[in-house]
Amino acid sequence: MLNSLNSPQREAVKYLDGPLLVLAGAGSGKTRVITQKISYLIDEAGYSAKEIAAITFTNKAAREMQERVGKLMQGKNIKGLTIATFHSLGLQMLRAEAALLGYKPQFSILDSSDSFKILADILATTDKQLLRKTQWQISAWKNAFINADQAKAQADEELTHAAAKVYQLYQQTLKAYQAVDFDDLIKLPVELFEQHESALNKWQRKLQYLLIDEYQDTNACQYKLVKMLTGVRGQFTAVGDDDQAIYG
Protein backbone atom coordinates (compact mmCIF):
# COMPACT_ATOMS: atom_id res chain seq x y z
CA MET A 1 0.00 0.00 0.00
CA LEU A 2 2.72 2.49 1.01
CA ASN A 3 4.65 1.73 -2.20
CA SER A 4 2.32 4.02 -4.14
CA LEU A 5 3.56 6.99 -2.07
CA ASN A 6 6.73 9.03 -2.47
CA SER A 7 9.22 9.26 0.38
CA PRO A 8 7.86 12.40 2.20
CA GLN A 9 4.28 11.08 1.86
CA ARG A 10 5.34 7.74 3.36
CA GLU A 11 7.08 9.53 6.21
CA ALA A 12 3.94 11.56 6.93
CA VAL A 13 1.75 8.45 6.94
CA LYS A 14 4.01 6.49 9.30
CA TYR A 15 4.81 9.29 11.78
CA LEU A 16 2.89 8.74 15.03
CA ASP A 17 5.15 10.28 17.69
CA GLY A 18 3.02 13.38 18.32
CA PRO A 19 1.66 16.36 16.42
CA LEU A 20 2.48 16.45 12.72
CA LEU A 21 2.10 19.38 10.34
CA VAL A 22 2.30 18.51 6.65
CA LEU A 23 2.85 21.49 4.33
CA ALA A 24 1.89 20.64 0.77
CA GLY A 25 0.73 22.59 -2.26
CA ALA A 26 -2.25 21.93 -4.51
CA GLY A 27 -2.12 18.62 -6.36
CA SER A 28 0.72 17.18 -4.27
CA GLY A 29 -1.37 14.35 -2.81
CA LYS A 30 -2.43 15.88 0.53
CA THR A 31 -5.74 14.03 0.67
CA ARG A 32 -4.03 10.80 -0.32
CA VAL A 33 -1.78 11.15 2.74
CA ILE A 34 -4.83 11.48 4.98
CA THR A 35 -6.70 8.51 3.46
CA GLN A 36 -3.58 6.30 3.52
CA LYS A 37 -2.88 7.37 7.10
CA ILE A 38 -6.39 6.34 8.17
CA SER A 39 -5.71 2.94 6.65
CA TYR A 40 -2.27 2.77 8.33
CA LEU A 41 -3.70 3.72 11.74
CA ILE A 42 -6.23 0.89 11.53
CA ASP A 43 -4.08 -1.79 9.85
CA GLU A 44 -0.70 -1.15 11.45
CA ALA A 45 -1.00 1.11 14.49
CA GLY A 46 -3.75 -0.67 16.41
CA TYR A 47 -6.40 2.08 16.27
CA SER A 48 -10.01 1.11 15.75
CA ALA A 49 -11.99 3.05 13.13
CA LYS A 50 -14.27 4.62 15.76
CA GLU A 51 -11.26 6.25 17.48
CA ILE A 52 -10.31 8.24 14.36
CA ALA A 53 -11.77 11.50 13.04
CA ALA A 54 -10.82 13.14 9.76
CA ILE A 55 -11.99 16.75 9.57
CA THR A 56 -12.51 18.55 6.26
CA PHE A 57 -13.83 22.00 5.37
CA THR A 58 -16.66 21.16 2.98
CA ASN A 59 -19.30 18.43 2.75
CA LYS A 60 -18.07 17.68 -0.78
CA ALA A 61 -14.52 17.06 0.51
CA ALA A 62 -15.91 14.86 3.31
CA ARG A 63 -17.93 12.77 0.82
CA GLU A 64 -14.92 12.36 -1.49
CA MET A 65 -12.71 11.30 1.40
CA GLN A 66 -15.35 8.82 2.58
CA GLU A 67 -15.42 7.26 -0.90
CA ARG A 68 -11.64 7.07 -1.12
CA VAL A 69 -11.30 5.47 2.30
CA GLY A 70 -14.13 3.05 1.42
CA LYS A 71 -12.27 1.90 -1.71
CA LEU A 72 -8.92 1.69 0.07
CA MET A 73 -10.30 -0.31 3.01
CA GLN A 74 -12.65 -2.54 1.03
CA GLY A 75 -13.79 -5.55 3.05
CA LYS A 76 -12.35 -4.15 6.29
CA ASN A 77 -14.29 -2.85 9.26
CA ILE A 78 -14.44 0.94 9.19
CA LYS A 79 -17.67 1.20 11.17
CA GLY A 80 -17.71 4.27 13.42
CA LEU A 81 -14.98 6.13 11.48
CA THR A 82 -15.73 9.87 11.57
CA ILE A 83 -15.16 11.80 8.36
CA ALA A 84 -16.89 15.15 8.78
CA THR A 85 -16.65 18.90 8.47
CA PHE A 86 -15.87 20.96 11.58
CA HIS A 87 -19.53 21.97 11.68
CA SER A 88 -20.99 18.47 11.44
CA LEU A 89 -18.55 17.19 14.09
CA GLY A 90 -19.57 20.11 16.33
CA LEU A 91 -23.23 19.28 15.72
CA GLN A 92 -22.61 15.63 16.69
CA MET A 93 -21.05 16.80 19.97
CA LEU A 94 -23.82 19.29 20.71
CA ARG A 95 -26.61 16.77 20.05
CA ALA A 96 -24.93 14.39 22.51
CA GLU A 97 -24.18 16.97 25.22
CA ALA A 98 -26.99 19.52 24.66
CA ALA A 99 -28.39 19.23 28.20
CA LEU A 100 -25.09 20.42 29.73
CA LEU A 101 -25.51 23.73 27.89
CA GLY A 102 -29.23 24.07 28.64
CA TYR A 103 -30.45 22.95 25.22
CA LYS A 104 -32.78 20.10 24.22
CA PRO A 105 -31.07 17.50 22.01
CA GLN A 106 -33.45 18.44 19.18
CA PHE A 107 -32.47 22.13 19.05
CA SER A 108 -32.91 23.88 15.68
CA ILE A 109 -30.12 25.10 13.43
CA LEU A 110 -30.73 28.49 11.85
CA ASP A 111 -29.41 29.33 8.43
CA SER A 112 -28.14 32.74 7.40
CA SER A 113 -31.57 34.06 6.37
CA ASP A 114 -33.14 32.93 9.68
CA SER A 115 -30.52 34.80 11.69
CA PHE A 116 -30.93 37.80 9.36
CA LYS A 117 -34.66 37.92 10.27
CA ILE A 118 -33.91 37.72 13.99
CA LEU A 119 -31.44 40.60 13.67
CA ALA A 120 -34.00 42.61 11.68
CA ASP A 121 -36.47 42.14 14.56
CA ILE A 122 -33.93 43.10 17.21
CA LEU A 123 -32.75 46.17 15.31
CA ALA A 124 -36.29 46.97 14.11
CA THR A 125 -34.93 47.86 10.69
CA THR A 126 -35.01 46.69 7.07
CA ASP A 127 -31.68 48.36 6.24
CA LYS A 128 -29.99 45.40 4.53
CA GLN A 129 -26.53 46.91 4.63
CA LEU A 130 -26.68 47.52 8.38
CA LEU A 131 -28.10 44.05 8.99
CA ARG A 132 -25.39 42.37 6.89
CA LYS A 133 -22.68 44.36 8.64
CA THR A 134 -24.05 43.35 12.06
CA GLN A 135 -24.42 39.71 10.99
CA TRP A 136 -20.85 39.68 9.68
CA GLN A 137 -19.53 41.30 12.88
CA ILE A 138 -21.29 38.77 15.15
CA SER A 139 -19.98 35.91 13.00
CA ALA A 140 -16.43 37.34 13.18
CA TRP A 141 -16.69 37.55 16.98
CA LYS A 142 -17.91 33.95 17.24
CA ASN A 143 -15.15 32.69 14.92
CA ALA A 144 -12.60 34.48 17.11
CA PHE A 145 -14.22 32.90 20.20
CA ILE A 146 -15.32 36.22 21.66
CA ASN A 147 -18.59 36.21 23.61
CA ALA A 148 -21.04 39.13 23.90
CA ASP A 149 -19.56 40.46 27.18
CA GLN A 150 -16.02 40.40 25.76
CA ALA A 151 -17.26 42.08 22.57
CA LYS A 152 -18.81 44.86 24.66
CA ALA A 153 -15.62 45.34 26.66
CA GLN A 154 -13.46 45.44 23.52
CA ALA A 155 -15.74 47.68 21.40
CA ASP A 156 -13.81 50.83 20.55
CA GLU A 157 -16.28 52.68 18.35
CA GLU A 158 -19.98 53.42 18.42
CA LEU A 159 -20.92 50.99 15.67
CA THR A 160 -19.06 48.05 17.25
CA HIS A 161 -20.52 48.92 20.64
CA ALA A 162 -24.04 48.88 19.18
CA ALA A 163 -23.31 45.56 17.44
CA ALA A 164 -22.05 44.09 20.75
CA LYS A 165 -25.39 44.96 22.40
CA VAL A 166 -27.26 43.37 19.50
CA TYR A 167 -24.99 40.29 19.81
CA GLN A 168 -26.13 39.84 23.43
CA LEU A 169 -29.84 40.13 22.52
CA TYR A 170 -29.32 37.86 19.51
CA GLN A 171 -27.80 35.09 21.65
CA GLN A 172 -30.59 35.41 24.23
CA THR A 173 -33.18 35.10 21.44
CA LEU A 174 -31.48 32.03 20.00
CA LYS A 175 -31.42 30.37 23.43
CA ALA A 176 -35.11 31.19 23.98
CA TYR A 177 -35.90 29.59 20.60
CA GLN A 178 -33.74 26.55 21.50
CA ALA A 179 -31.78 27.33 18.34
CA VAL A 180 -28.16 27.75 17.29
CA ASP A 181 -26.64 29.36 14.23
CA PHE A 182 -23.91 27.94 12.00
CA ASP A 183 -21.04 29.56 13.94
CA ASP A 184 -22.41 28.18 17.23
CA LEU A 185 -21.78 24.65 15.96
CA ILE A 186 -18.08 25.23 16.67
CA LYS A 187 -18.24 27.92 19.34
CA LEU A 188 -20.60 26.02 21.67
CA PRO A 189 -18.58 22.75 21.76
CA VAL A 190 -15.53 24.83 22.81
CA GLU A 191 -17.62 26.49 25.56
CA LEU A 192 -18.93 23.07 26.56
CA PHE A 193 -15.42 21.65 26.91
CA GLU A 194 -14.20 24.70 28.85
CA GLN A 195 -17.04 24.39 31.34
CA HIS A 196 -17.40 20.58 31.60
CA GLU A 197 -14.18 18.64 31.93
CA SER A 198 -16.03 15.31 32.04
CA ALA A 199 -17.47 15.97 28.55
CA LEU A 200 -14.02 16.93 27.26
CA ASN A 201 -12.45 13.76 28.71
CA LYS A 202 -15.20 11.66 27.15
CA TRP A 203 -14.60 13.11 23.66
CA GLN A 204 -10.82 12.93 24.02
CA ARG A 205 -11.18 9.21 24.81
CA LYS A 206 -13.64 8.74 21.96
CA LEU A 207 -11.50 10.49 19.31
CA GLN A 208 -7.98 9.25 19.86
CA TYR A 209 -6.50 10.42 16.55
CA LEU A 210 -7.43 13.50 14.50
CA LEU A 211 -6.55 14.28 10.89
CA ILE A 212 -7.31 17.80 9.67
CA ASP A 213 -7.39 18.72 5.99
CA GLU A 214 -6.98 22.30 4.62
CA TYR A 215 -5.54 23.29 8.00
CA GLN A 216 -4.55 26.73 6.70
CA ASP A 217 -8.24 27.75 6.77
CA THR A 218 -8.84 27.13 10.49
CA ASN A 219 -10.06 30.13 12.45
CA ALA A 220 -9.39 30.76 16.15
CA CYS A 221 -12.47 28.82 17.28
CA GLN A 222 -11.69 25.74 15.17
CA TYR A 223 -8.07 25.86 16.33
CA LYS A 224 -9.26 25.89 19.95
CA LEU A 225 -11.52 22.90 19.33
CA VAL A 226 -8.67 20.87 17.79
CA LYS A 227 -6.35 21.87 20.63
CA MET A 228 -8.86 20.77 23.27
CA LEU A 229 -9.71 17.48 21.59
CA THR A 230 -6.08 16.44 21.11
CA GLY A 231 -5.22 17.46 24.68
CA VAL A 232 -1.80 16.55 26.07
CA ARG A 233 -1.48 13.48 23.82
CA GLY A 234 -1.29 15.65 20.71
CA GLN A 235 -2.07 12.70 18.44
CA PHE A 236 -3.02 14.50 15.25
CA THR A 237 -1.93 15.22 11.70
CA ALA A 238 -2.73 18.59 10.13
CA VAL A 239 -2.33 18.95 6.40
CA GLY A 240 -2.30 22.36 4.74
CA ASP A 241 -0.87 24.78 2.23
CA ASP A 242 0.36 28.00 3.86
CA ASP A 243 0.27 29.75 0.45
CA GLN A 244 -3.53 29.45 0.57
CA ALA A 245 -3.94 30.81 4.12
CA ILE A 246 -6.96 33.07 3.65
CA TYR A 247 -7.27 33.78 7.39
CA GLY A 248 -3.58 34.60 7.75
Side-chain angles (χ1 to χ4, degrees), residues 91 94-95 97-111 114 118 142 169-182 184-185 188:
L91 176 58
L94 287 179
R95 289 273 187 237
E97 315 294 344
L100 291 174
L101 288 172
Y103 286 89
K104 294 175 185 143
Q106 287 314 310
F107 57 80
S108 322
I109 302 160
L110 304 185
D111 64 17
D114 295 326
I118 291 173
K142 287 188 179 189
L169 290 167
Y170 173 72
Q171 280 310 102
Q172 287 164 0
T173 309
L174 257 56
K175 194 76 183 269
Y177 284 157
Q178 284 286 304
V180 301
D181 67 15
F182 209 51
D184 284 332
L185 295 177
L188 288 176

Side-chain angles (χ1 to χ4, degrees), residues 126-139:
T126 52
D127 180 342
K128 282 187 176 163
Q129 200 182 352
L130 174 65
L131 288 166
R132 263 197 207 99
K133 234 179 196 166
T134 310
Q135 191 175 32
W136 181 86
Q137 179 62 72
I138 290 172
S139 178

Side-chain angles (χ1 to χ4, degrees), residues 176-197:
Y177 284 157
Q178 284 286 304
V180 301
D181 67 15
F182 209 51
D183 297 316
D184 284 332
L185 295 177
I186 297 164
K187 179 177 167 280
L188 288 176
V190 176
E191 281 180 13
L192 168 82
F193 292 149
E194 279 192 339
Q195 294 162 20
H196 301 277
E197 205 178 336

Side-chain angles (χ1 to χ4, degrees), residues 34 38 52-56 65 81-85 209-213:
I34 290 181
I38 291 170
I52 301 166
I55 306 171
T56 66
M65 197 177 286
L81 173 68
T82 300
I83 297 179
T85 63
Y209 202 97
L210 293 189
L211 301 112
I212 302 112
D213 198 13

